[in-house]
Amino acid sequence: DAGITQSPRHKVTETGTPVTLRCHQTENHRYMYWYRQDPGHGLRLIHYSYGVKDTDKGEVSDGYSVSRSKTEDFLLTLESATSSQTSVYFCATWELRNTEAFFGQGTRLTVV
Amino acid sequence: QQPVQSPQAVILREGEDAVINCSSSKALYSVHWYRQKHGEAPVFLMILLKGGEQKGHDKISASFNEKKQQSSLYLTASQLSYSGTYFCGTVPSGNTGKLIFGQGTTLQVKP
């Protein structure tokens, strides 16, 4: 199994508070992704990274920021959490064009 | 923009066949297919690169028509273990890093 670890796995937070989710990989993959999964919407891309300090926006990036200071870590930050950001968040990594992407186990975030 | 999958949901009896379609508005470099069981992470099924190839393993296969920017996943003689949500992921031509998934197709196989 690919070494991808998401932390925390579960979090409940209050509206307006900052939240940071962490994705750690041991595979040395170039690309890293953050998705959110909501019923009826599938997996929606928030941000992705194509190298250290190289990131780009996905389809639903408003309200989220990311950072990648090391190959192995990709952080997702909600600067001021809102109830609409309640979701399951998945991190994924990918190396080559003709190989599979690997997913972390997900983080369930509830904003109350 | 997310690729569009159809149908949204399928209910089958064991042994029946199913086809799941994935369509993109952009020119594609590759298409990925994943299956997700409830409460788990998506698991890779196969990847198809541009060139119109068809792939398969066991009784699951897929095709990719790059001219139409479409891919189809074929499940034959379905088994109970095939139940889950299927996602196609697309990588646009010219940007080989941006992996975008569709909204998913829920497949339920009944005895």
Side-chain angles (χ1 to χ4, degrees):
Chain A
D1 290 344
I4 303 171
T5 306
Q6 290 185 230
S7 58
R9 292 292 312 280
H10 302 271
K11 187 171 182 66
V12 179
T13 192
E14 293 186 349
T15 298
T17 61
V19 176
T20 296
L21 307 183
R22 180 181 185 235
C23 178
H24 178 78
Q25 61 147 332
T26 58
E27 304 297 317
N28 202 35
H29 287 173
R30 176 183 177 188
Y31 299 103
M32 297 187 75
Y33 307 84
W34 278 107
Y35 298 93
R36 61 177 290 174
Q37 185 170 28
D38 306 288
H41 293 280
L43 292 159
R44 291 185 290 176
L45 181 64
I46 305 172
H47 283 280
Y48 71 104
S49 169
Y50 47 96
V52 173
K53 293 186 169 45
D54 293 322
T55 65
D56 202 355
K57 294 180 179 180
E59 312 151 273
V60 291
S61 59
D62 287 348
Y64 301 95
S65 63
V66 290
S67 66
R68 192 173 179 195
S69 58
K70 297 185 291 185
T71 299
E72 57 266 34
D73 290 326
F74 193 33
L75 303 180
L76 176 70
T77 297
L78 291 66
E79 300 292 345
S80 179
T82 67
S83 58
S84 64
Q85 293 176 312
T86 292
S87 186
V88 177
Y89 292 84
F90 282 100
C91 170
T93 69
W94 192 34
E95 178 55 31
L96 298 173
R97 302 178 189 185
N98 60 342
T99 61
E100 65 185 281
F102 294 94
F103 283 83
Q105 288 306 301
T107 294
R108 183 173 294 276
L109 177 68
T110 303
V111 183
V112 297
Chain B
Q1 189 172 1
Q2 282 185 288
V4 176
Q5 292 185 228
S6 63
Q8 288 189 327
V10 184
I11 300 176
L12 301 172
R13 294 287 181 187
E14 270 187 298
E16 292 182 338
D17 302 339
V19 180
I20 300 172
N21 300 302
C22 175
S23 180
S24 174
S25 60
K26 295 177 181 283
L28 298 177
Y29 176 80
S30 64
V31 178
H32 298 222
W33 285 97
Y34 290 77
R35 177 171 60 209
Q36 184 183 32
K37 301 281 188 177
H38 183 69
E40 299 179 4
V43 174
F44 176 78
L45 292 175
M46 64 190 73
I47 182 171
L48 300 101
L49 306 179
K50 67 178 180 179
E53 65 176 304
Q54 184 156 350
K55 275 195 170 183
H57 69 85
D58 198 11
K59 296 190 174 87
I60 301 176
S61 62
S63 63
F64 176 27
N65 186 325
E66 65 179 279
K67 291 184 178 178
K68 293 185 176 180
Q69 295 144 207
Q70 295 174 346
S71 179
S72 294
L73 186 71
Y74 307 94
L75 301 102
T76 58
S78 58
Q79 307 166 17
L80 294 176
S81 62
Y82 287 3
S83 294
T85 301
Y86 289 77
F87 292 99
C88 71
T90 57
V91 178
S93 293
N95 185 335
T96 56
K98 193 171 188 177
L99 177 58
I100 301 174
F101 288 91
Q103 80 277 25
T105 296
T106 301
L107 179 74
Q108 184 180 4
V109 181
K110 294 186 174 181

